[in-house]
Amino acid sequence: MFGKTRGVVAAMTLGAALSAASVSAQERDIVDTAIEAGGFETLAAALTAADLVSTLKGEGPFTVFAPTDEAFAQLPAGTVEDLLRPENRDALVAVLTYHVVPGRVTADQVVELDRATTVNGADVSIRVNGGHVRINDSNVIATDIMATNGVIHVIDQVLLPEMDEEARTMRSRDEEMMRRATDVLALAIDRGVPLFNDGHASATAGIYEVGMQAVLMGGYGLPRSAERALERGLRDGRHQHDMRDRAWAYRRAMDRALDEIDGRMARRSTH
């Protein structure tokens, strides 16, 4: 569904690489056109991870609002890495399809719209102000890069769709589970530290090991990096015959896992 708005956009000058790509794009699909233009390596990697390359190489036509590598780099640290993880494929697909509109919508058509419904199913807003076009909060910095199966408009920020109530509920549940995992590890540390300081390294190692195993087996939905830290810590610690060394191996692993969980929670709070 599209809605109309008033406004006239000034002509936008494409960069040299984009101009070169658009000249030869009539022989290339959207994916190959973006790759040929350069500056879209992160987008190409994300499309591959989301298994959307074949879709955007299909008949279409599609209109793609393509974020540059610099646009992806503006996201909070670790966001792209998180989205590229196999377990987060659904979230990645939701983000990428929010950048695609069915049909071939050229720049002179875009400026006549105030919104467009994406393949994601959610709308993006379109505003024209002083000769500049904005898609949600992003600026359109190059337009009408034609491909055999559609058109690309380049934007300077990644578009992030609003979550529906079900998605918010699922995120809230995931975050609650991660907080519980954090509580288990923190409790193990709180119990273990006084024992270690009193010379009871073996008891400390035992408490740490139980806590780590409980988190790994508890189905807490941890980031894979946190799970790997705990798994590696258990493996390394069990090779230590000195109980002090074993306790420290476990403690370092728990600290790394807690850092990974905190990082995931912080990145989620930003969008």
Side-chain angles (χ1 to χ4, degrees), residues 111-128:
V111 298
E112 294 298 321
L113 308 173
D114 61 15
R115 65 186 182 278
T117 301
T118 67
V119 173
N120 170 288
D123 286 358
V124 291
S125 67
I126 301 171
R127 300 189 304 279
V128 182

Side-chain angles (χ1 to χ4, degrees), residues 138-162:
S138 69
N139 296 298
V140 179
I141 57 177
T143 63
D144 289 348
I145 304 169
M146 297 297 177
T148 56
N149 62 343
V151 59
I152 299 171
H153 306 300
V154 184
I155 56 177
D156 66 355
Q157 290 188 37
V158 178
L159 306 175
L160 297 174
E162 290 289 335

